[in-house]
Amino acid sequence: QVQLVESGGGLVQAGGSLRLSCEASGSIYSIENMGWYRQAPGEQREMVAVITPGGIPNYGDSVKGRFTISRDYAKNTVHLQMNSLKPEDTALYYCYARSSMTSRLYWGQGTQVTVSS
């Protein structure tokens, strides 16, 4: 199986930056897409960023131009660089990975990002 552990969340002022990391372990060779979702209070989970095995990213409209997703294959890690943070970015951020073996989505435990005004 695949295990995912996120890190890097925290409290930051508006306009600041955070870098989230998600380290995968287990059946890492089965991983295809990896990405990040987030869920704010009272809202449904929304896609933030996805990256393909070839390194092609895709972003949700609300974060385009501000967030950057990347993969470090040697370290089995995906990163989310978040710049120009806004209070509306406040949410629980979840890392996910899709397995090519089962098409199952694996999820991390979530890391809280809080952006103050």
Side-chain angles (χ1 to χ4, degrees):
Q1 301 294 316
V2 176
Q3 293 81 43
L4 303 171
V5 179
E6 302 106 327
S7 62
L11 175 65
V12 67
Q13 292 184 337
S17 298
L18 285 173
R19 190 181 192 226
L20 306 184
S21 298
C22 174
E23 184 174 6
S25 61
S27 301
I28 58 175
Y29 299 108
S30 71
I31 296 174
E32 289 190 339
N33 290 349
M34 295 186 71
W36 296 86
Y37 276 68
R38 68 186 183 187
Q39 187 169 22
E43 300 182 9
Q44 293 186 325
R45 190 172 297 187
E46 65 174 341
M47 191 273 287
V48 176
V50 179
I51 189 165
T52 70
I56 306 301
N58 192 26
Y59 300 96
D61 289 339
S62 64
V63 306
K64 286 181 179 178
R66 299 188 297 120
F67 291 10
T68 302
I69 189 170
S70 61
R71 295 175 80 160
D72 186 333
Y73 294 95
K75 297 181 179 180
N76 304 314
T77 301
V78 63
H79 303 283
L80 184 68
Q81 179 66 46
M82 306 185 295
N83 298 326
S84 301
L85 283 163
K86 305 174 181 179
E88 49 263 46
D89 294 318
T90 296
L92 274 169
Y93 284 71
Y94 297 91
C95 176
Y96 79 89
R98 180 183 177 274
S99 171
S100 63
M101 299 292 183
T102 66
S103 296
R104 175 182 172 182
L105 293 177
Y106 297 88
W107 295 92
Q109 81 284 359
T111 185
Q112 177 68 37
V113 172
T114 302
V115 184
S116 62
S117 299

